[in-house]
């Protein structure tokens, strides 16, 4: 493309005699970069060289030199502009991190919640063979390039009461919830960016139109170019994907790709995908440091909190299990403050004896 522009500009100068203001105007049309400094330098050097060469140089030779010099300078600028354009458009666009997420990161560190273990996926030939077999069978990955990418990867694991924010090679930000495992390459290569997830994670994917980002789960794949979404594989035999921004394609391991739109949740179970409109907040509030519940049975609510606080919960009677709770709880609040808020809102009695919580109706 730059060679075509150079040839066209040279033809205008040499054959049609275009110069001066008109040349500058056409140059500005070709070069889509800030060229004021380059033009000023070009004019100054042309003037200096013209003055030096004026004596002993015929007018014809001088103008031939001027055209050649100007054409070469403009070509260099165009090539530089083209390289800058390519760099800007080929590099992934790092996602914007909202202040609410940054605040949550700070609170998480202060509460000593950020912790993860990172290990190589395979360190020996025997391990590599085992990993290849597991990747192909559990996540239904047949693409050889994806398998090779994941073989050179690392596994990150969070405990039940921990979480972790991880920035990947392309600038993608991943928030790993508690009790979650993800396999990710230290450096992406090839035609796609592949990761494997078991557990729950919030993805803010760096936009890269040339390389889709693929999250492989036991039930299917989530395929994106740049967007925000939550993936949860904790439900037995199912993967839930909630789309916050952009658009993504979901590919059940035994089906074809289906597109999702913001405000939808896709559930993959036994090779079947179902879509429904949802309020995304209850599914994504944890990414900004909150638990959000709406008409949630206490049994389900305490299942979430028991993992996060690493506690055991016992219900004194069945009625207490089914009491509904609606409200927002801070992930970083002290356990006693959280239990007191639940007790008041749900009108139940909660006793805390070390790591054993007991709930009874009043």
């Amino acid at each position: 493309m730059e060679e075509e522009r150079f040839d066209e500009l040279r033809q205008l100068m040499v054959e049609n005699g275009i110069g001066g203001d008109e040349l500058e105007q056409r140059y500005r049309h070709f070069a889509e970069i800030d060229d004021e400094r380059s033009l000023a330098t070009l004019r100054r050097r042309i003037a200096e060289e013209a003055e030096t060469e004026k004596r002993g140089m015929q007018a014809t030779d001088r103008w031939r030199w001027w055209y050649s010099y100007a054409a070469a300078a403009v070509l260099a600028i165009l090539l530089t502009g083209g390289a800058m354009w390519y760099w800007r458009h080929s590099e992934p666009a790092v996602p914007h991190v909202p202040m609410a997420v940054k605040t949550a990161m700070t609170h998480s560190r202060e509460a000593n919640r950020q912790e993860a273990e990172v290990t190589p996926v395979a360190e020996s030939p025997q391990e590599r063979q085992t990993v290849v077999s597991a990747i192909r069978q559990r996540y239904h990955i047949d693409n050889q390039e994806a398998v090779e990418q994941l073989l050179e990867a690392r596994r990150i694991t969070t405990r039940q009461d921990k979480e972790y924010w991880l920035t990947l090679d392309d600038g993608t930000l991943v928030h790993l919830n508690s009790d979650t495992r993800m396999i990710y390459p230290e450096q992406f290569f090839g035609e796609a960016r592949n990761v494997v997830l078991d557990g729950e994670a919030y993805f803010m994917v760096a936009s890269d139109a040339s390389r889709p980002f693929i999250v492989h789960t036991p039930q299917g794949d989530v395929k994106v170019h740049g967007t925000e979404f939550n993936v949860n594989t904790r439900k037995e035999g199912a993967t839930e994907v909630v789309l916050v921004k952009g658009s993504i394609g979901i590919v059940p391991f035994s089906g074809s790709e289906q597109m999702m739109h913001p405000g939808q949740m896709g559930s993959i179970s036994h090779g079947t995908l179902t879509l429904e409109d949802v309020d995304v907040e209850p599914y994504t509030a944890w990414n900004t440091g909150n638990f959000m519940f709406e008409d949630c049975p206490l049994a389900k609510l305490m299942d979430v909190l028991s993992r996060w606080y690493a506690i055991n919960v016992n219900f004194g009677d069945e009625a207490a299990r089914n009491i509904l709770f609606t409200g927002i709880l801070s992930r970083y609040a002290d356990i006693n403050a959280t239990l007191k808020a639940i007790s008041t809102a749900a009108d139940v009695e909660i006793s805390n004896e070390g790591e054993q919580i007991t709930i009874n109706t009043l």
Side-chain angles (χ1 to χ4, degrees):
M1 180 62 71
E2 275 67 32
E3 290 183 359
E4 294 176 359
R5 291 180 175 178
F6 167 67
D7 290 337
E8 184 177 351
L9 189 60
R10 181 176 58 186
Q11 182 178 11
L12 289 171
M13 290 188 295
V14 178
E15 298 181 10
N16 299 337
I18 298 298
D21 292 337
E22 187 172 355
L23 171 62
E24 180 176 328
Q25 182 179 1
R26 291 178 180 271
Y27 162 79
R28 291 180 182 276
H29 176 72
F30 289 140
E32 298 176 352
I33 59 175
D34 182 7
D35 55 359
E36 291 296 334
R37 188 177 300 173
S38 300
L39 280 172
T41 302
L42 179 61
R43 292 195 190 96
R44 185 179 66 254
R45 294 191 63 178
I46 289 173
E48 291 172 353
E49 293 291 339
E51 181 65 25
T52 301
E53 299 291 335
K54 182 169 58 177
R55 288 175 298 188
M57 179 183 287
Q58 296 296 324
T60 301
D61 293 335
R62 185 165 64 248
W63 281 108
R64 184 180 298 114
W65 166 86
W66 190 93
Y67 284 131
S68 299
Y69 188 93
V74 170
L75 176 60
I77 294 171
L78 286 173
L79 289 174
T80 301
M84 292 177 63
W85 182 93
Y86 178 80
W87 179 82
R88 286 175 184 148
H89 288 76
S90 62
E91 284 291 305
V94 178
H96 169 71
V97 181
M99 183 55 66
V101 175
K102 294 179 181 178
T103 301
M105 291 179 180
T106 300
H107 290 165
S108 180
R109 285 192 294 269
E110 292 173 348
N112 196 30
R113 291 288 189 176
Q114 283 206 58
E115 184 180 310
E117 180 184 10
V118 180
T119 57
V121 168
E123 294 184 293
S124 68
Q126 293 79 8
E127 284 183 305
R128 290 174 69 89
Q129 191 151 2
T130 301
V131 169
V132 168
S133 177
I135 285 175
R136 291 189 183 280
Q137 293 178 17
R138 177 169 175 76
Y139 305 104
H140 311 280
I141 301 176
D142 295 323
N143 183 280
Q144 184 59 32
E145 184 180 86
V147 172
E148 291 175 359
Q149 196 176 100
L150 294 169
L151 267 177
E152 304 301 326
R154 302 185 76 79
R155 180 185 289 106
I156 184 168
T157 304
T158 57
R159 299 204 314 258
Q160 282 199 344
D161 58 345
K162 301 295 183 179
E163 64 183 340
Y164 200 79
W165 276 271
L166 175 70
T167 301
L168 301 182
D169 171 56
D170 62 339
T172 291
L173 181 65
V174 185
H175 184 184
L176 300 160
N177 207 345
S178 60
D179 191 24
T180 294
R181 291 151 301 286
M182 187 176 77
I183 296 175
Y184 67 97
E186 290 188 281
Q187 288 188 321
F188 289 114
F189 61 84
E191 297 181 353
R193 297 167 288 168
N194 297 278
V195 300
V196 166
L197 179 72
D198 280 289
E200 184 173 20
Y202 190 97
F203 292 84
M204 301 176 68
V205 178
S207 178
D208 186 347
S210 65
R211 295 185 302 169
F213 190 98
I214 302 175
V215 182
H216 301 276
T217 78
Q219 286 73 41
D221 300 339
V222 183
K223 185 176 180 181
V224 302
H225 288 284
T227 187
E228 291 186 31
F229 58 97
N230 193 78
V231 181
N232 189 343
T233 71
R234 290 203 177 109
K235 186 178 289 187
E236 187 65 29
T239 291
E240 293 181 344
V241 182
V242 176
L243 180 59
V244 179
K245 294 181 181 179
S247 65
I248 61 178
I250 297 186
V251 189
F253 67 80
S254 62
S256 57
E257 181 176 1
Q258 189 166 340
M259 300 304 295
M260 282 183 63
H261 304 289
Q264 285 188 320
M265 180 173 70
S267 298
I268 315 171
S269 180
H270 305 293
T272 301
L273 171 65
T274 58
L275 297 176
E276 62 177 310
D277 294 331
V278 296
D279 176 7
V280 301
E281 280 296 320
Y283 299 94
T284 62
W286 70 273
N287 185 51
T288 53
N290 295 301
F291 293 113
M292 181 177 289
F293 302 99
E294 184 174 352
D295 291 334
C296 179
L298 284 187
K300 184 176 180 180
L301 181 153
M302 295 309 298
D303 181 56
V304 173
L305 297 187
S306 65
R307 290 197 302 269
W308 181 241
Y309 287 102
I311 56 176
N312 298 313
V313 179
N314 177 57
F315 287 89
D317 54 76
E318 193 66 24
R321 298 176 60 87
N322 298 318
I323 293 176
L324 301 181
F325 176 88
T326 296
I328 299 175
L329 303 171
S330 171
R331 284 167 64 87
Y332 310 119
D334 178 77
I335 179 63
N336 291 314
T338 298
L339 294 176
K340 183 177 181 180
I342 295 171
S343 174
T344 301
D347 197 24
V348 294
E349 180 183 62
I350 302 179
S351 62
N352 181 6
E353 299 178 3
E355 295 181 355
Q356 181 66 48
I357 307 298
T358 302
I359 303 176
N360 290 289
T361 54
L362 293 175

